[in-house]
Amino acid sequence: MLSSSSPVNKSSINASFELPWIEKYRPAEIKDIVGNEECLSRLAVIAEEGNMPNVIISGPPGTGKTTSIHCVAKHLLGEAYSRSVLELNASDERGINVVREKIKLFTKQKVTLPVGKHKIVILDEADNMTAAAQQALRRTMEEHTETTRFALACNLSSKIIEPIQSRCAILRFHRLTDDQICKRLRKIIEMENVICDEEGINAILFTAEGDMRHAINNLQAAHSGFGLVSSDNVFKVCDQPHPEVAKRIIKACEEGDLAEADKIMRLSLWKLGYHPLDIVTTLFKVLKLMEIPEYLKLEFIKEIGFTHKRILDGLPTLLQLSGLLARLTGLTLKAKEKSKAWGSC
């Protein structure tokens, strides 16, 4: 308890309140991590038994890859964690020099650890390392296997060279479900006294796409910016096309009304400055959840996919979007003509 004469470090107190929620509510133990239960159970066994192998954890962003590694390292090393763990982000330090200088130097350092424990090198975004750096890392892993273990987190394990993959246990994380994210969001909402409605939570889940980090960031941004986490406020913060607008566009295409679909797209999306990639992506996400005839939905998805590829190839123009709507409307008219022909038979 502080006495009245005790100095108070106000900056440290304020800092605790200013922490981003993704750090404030980052799990400290494996049992607190959401989703990917099978992989986490294997990591829990490693943490309990203490014999950690070299590990590659692959999967989409925001699924808990790096957090899981840190939880295992803290459980294994205890008080020695701070001096026995080296964390590097390979997307920033991706060349061969980081292996030769930082990683080799760390593996050669003398650190007093309990019997059977090892120093741990955590490489985040490891799939961004150059081929030369990965080859150098392979050699380092061989030379210092008695003192150091390596944990690599990446989005695509296929970008890690085979010699490293063969020396590691590979765990594959998957996107989190809406229910898993929602459960964690509701806990944070309760802890932070956030004013939020159901539509706001649904909007966060829609924009997050299975990414817990993205979901928590959007929740904090909407709360800080507007005080109320509602659907409209979430989409303003995320600066993404509103799914209701995308729904109206698809509905107009389904009804064969090209003029109305094009008008909504131009006035409600294009003139507001949304990028064609965001527009097409939102159309796809909304279409998946809409109830329209299965044949038509598959044809719509195919056309949206072709347009998405053209935009990625460097054609982010209004003409591409208008052409997409024309093709979607054309598919609807063809489907109606076929149904009439079958009816006349």
Side-chain angles (χ1 to χ4, degrees):
M1 184 175 178
L2 291 172
S3 66
S4 57
S5 59
S6 301
V8 177
N9 189 344
K10 292 184 179 180
S11 62
S12 65
I13 293 175
N14 290 336
S16 66
F17 287 103
E18 293 167 4
L19 267 179
W21 288 355
I22 56 170
E23 295 300 330
K24 187 175 180 181
Y25 295 101
R26 184 185 290 273
E29 298 181 21
I30 294 175
K31 63 183 176 63
D32 297 326
I33 301 173
V34 174
N36 294 291
E37 290 82 3
E38 186 177 340
C39 292
L40 291 174
S41 65
R42 292 175 65 185
L43 289 174
V45 171
I46 290 171
E48 286 300 325
E49 293 182 352
N51 186 18
M52 179 180 172
N54 295 319
V55 176
I56 294 174
I57 301 182
S58 68
T63 52
K65 301 186 299 294
T66 308
T67 299
S68 302
I69 296 170
H70 280 288
C71 289
V72 172
K74 286 175 182 175
H75 191 282
L76 287 172
L77 300 172
E79 293 180 357
Y81 170 82
S82 58
R83 65 178 184 273
S84 305
V85 173
L86 173 67
E87 182 181 12
L88 297 171
N89 192 312
S91 60
D92 296 328
E93 302 168 289
R94 59 197 297 269
I96 193 170
N97 288 337
V98 71
V99 179
R100 288 174 174 168
E101 296 168 9
K102 291 188 178 181
I103 295 178
K104 274 198 172 183
L105 184 64
F106 175 77
T107 56
K108 291 177 181 178
Q109 286 177 353
K110 299 283 186 183
V111 178
T112 304
L113 292 172
V115 178
K117 307 296 183 184
H118 305 84
K119 292 180 290 182
I120 298 174
V121 176
I122 300 174
L123 282 172
D124 206 1
E125 308 293 340
D127 47 345
N128 287 322
M129 292 180 71
T130 62
Q134 290 191 43
Q135 291 290 354
L137 179 64
R138 174 191 64 82
R139 184 63 180 158
T140 304
M141 290 171 70
E142 285 179 346
E143 291 176 348
H144 301 280
T145 186
E146 292 183 4
T147 61
T148 310
R149 294 289 185 265
F150 292 79
L152 285 66
C154 60
N155 294 332
L156 295 171
S157 61
S158 59
K159 290 188 177 181
I160 306 293
I161 60 172
E162 286 293 335
I164 290 181
Q165 289 192 46
S166 67
R167 289 166 172 77
C168 298
I170 301 178
L171 302 176
R172 304 190 190 279
F173 278 34
H174 304 288
R175 289 191 184 278
L176 305 179
T177 66
D178 286 351
D179 288 341
Q180 290 168 341
I181 295 176
C182 187
K183 196 175 291 185
R184 179 55 57 90
L185 289 180
R186 290 189 188 280
K187 283 186 180 178
I188 296 173
I189 288 167
E190 184 180 346
M191 296 288 290
E192 298 291 337
N193 295 317
V194 176
I195 303 172
C196 181
D197 57 30
E198 284 299 318
E199 291 300 317
I201 293 177
N202 290 335
I204 290 173
L205 296 175
F206 181 86
T207 55
E209 296 185 78
D211 184 331
M212 180 69 79
R213 183 167 53 237
H214 196 178
I216 295 174
N217 276 334
N218 290 348
L219 176 67
Q220 185 175 13
H223 171 66
S224 302
F226 300 97
L228 169 65
V229 181
S230 64
S231 176
D232 289 338
N233 291 342
V234 169
F235 285 110
K236 283 177 186 175
V237 163
C238 299
D239 199 24
Q240 286 190 15
H242 201 292
E244 284 301 319
V245 176
K247 197 172 185 177
R248 285 164 52 206
I249 291 173
I250 294 171
K251 208 70 183 169
C253 291
E254 188 191 1
E255 293 168 357
D257 192 345
L258 175 59
E260 179 64 15
D262 196 56
K263 179 183 174 183
I264 296 170
M265 188 270 296
R266 287 170 185 265
L267 296 179
S268 301
L269 297 178
W270 182 261
K271 283 196 173 181
L272 294 179
Y274 289 111
H275 192 276
L277 200 58
D278 291 331
I279 295 173
V280 169
T281 303
T282 304
L283 287 173
F284 172 70
K285 289 195 290 184
V286 170
L287 176 61
K288 286 196 300 182
L289 302 174
M290 286 182 66
E291 292 187 5
I292 65 174
E294 194 69 19
Y295 163 77
L296 201 57
K297 180 184 282 192
L298 292 173
E299 291 297 319
F300 276 21
I301 287 174
K302 185 168 72 173
E303 286 299 335
I304 290 173
F306 286 143
T307 305
H308 187 266
K309 182 180 182 302
R310 292 187 190 104
I311 292 170
L312 289 176
D313 286 342
L315 296 169
T317 62
L318 179 61
L319 180 62
Q320 289 296 331
L321 295 175
S322 296
L324 169 63
L325 300 184
R327 290 191 295 276
L328 297 183
T329 308
L331 288 168
T332 299
L333 297 176
K334 282 182 182 178
K336 286 181 179 178
E337 288 175 4
K338 281 185 179 180
S339 64
K340 282 182 182 179
W342 279 106
S344 62
C345 291

